[in-house]
Amino acid sequence: MRILIVSDIHGNHPDLKKLAPEAKGADMMIAAGDLTHFGGREDAETVLDSLDGLGLPYAAVPGNC
């Protein structure tokens, strides 16, 4: 099993598109914290929508601060 791990996105969801080549070779993804930069639910949902766009099943930790 190949797992793509990302962390410290800090709301920079547009750059998640750059992970598309790595996502093609992975079976799942783990987003290991700091989805936003102290943002709220809507900010986190925007990031999660971008993660959905990579087409992988994933688990995400919303924050680690």
Side-chain angles (χ1 to χ4, degrees):
M1 175 178 268
R2 295 180 61 105
I3 301 172
L4 175 61
I5 300 173
V6 298
S7 68
D8 299 298
I9 297 168
H10 293 287
N12 192 10
H13 61 91
D15 277 350
L16 291 173
K17 293 182 284 188
K18 296 176 183 177
L19 295 175
E22 288 81 7
K24 288 182 182 176
D27 298 305
M28 73 167 295
M29 178 173 39
I30 296 174
D34 284 345
L35 296 180
T36 71
H37 190 65
F38 299 105
R41 181 184 184 121
E42 289 180 7
D43 294 329
E45 287 175 352
T46 299
V47 172
L48 293 174
D49 287 344
S50 293
L51 292 177
D52 286 338
L54 292 172
L56 288 174
Y58 65 87
V61 177
N64 65 5
C65 291

